[in-house]
Amino acid sequence: MDWKIIISTFVTIFLAELGDKTQLASILMTSKTNKPLLVFIGTMLAFAVVTIIGVTVGSIITKFIPIDIIKYSAAVAFIIIGIMILLGKI
């Protein structure tokens, strides 16, 4: 098992997810229902399904599109989204 990949993925996702809309939705659902365990289970199941979809799509895409093009496209998309946020379009 390659622990370096596991740890780097964990740190990347952990930092990216801190304070995002998923975490805020979980806080809201817990405050509304007062059932933190059930909200935790629902949140984890949803995140697992979304992650499975992302990993599956990623593994399929990399068979047809070179990784450099994927990285470049993702970088351009993030820059465009950032500019749109700065301009108040999003």
Side-chain angles (χ1 to χ4, degrees):
M1 186 175 311
D2 193 342
W3 285 100
K4 184 177 179 181
I5 293 173
I6 293 172
I7 292 169
S8 65
T9 302
F10 175 85
V11 169
T12 301
I13 299 300
F14 181 81
L15 292 175
E17 293 298 320
L18 276 177
D20 78 337
K21 63 184 180 246
T22 305
Q23 191 175 35
L24 297 174
S26 298
I27 292 168
L28 179 64
M29 289 297 295
T30 302
S31 67
K32 282 186 172 185
T33 63
N34 202 24
K35 305 236 184 229
L37 181 59
L38 297 178
V39 173
F40 173 76
I41 292 169
T43 302
M44 292 307 297
L45 288 172
F47 196 69
V49 170
V50 168
T51 301
I52 289 168
I53 292 169
V55 170
T56 303
V57 170
S59 65
I60 292 169
I61 287 174
T62 56
K63 291 179 182 176
F64 300 103
I65 302 172
I67 192 70
D68 290 338
I69 293 175
I70 295 170
K71 286 181 184 179
Y72 179 78
S73 300
V76 169
F78 275 105
I79 290 168
I80 290 170
I81 291 168
I83 291 169
M84 291 175 71
I85 289 172
L86 285 173
L87 296 175
K89 303 290 184 181
I90 295 179

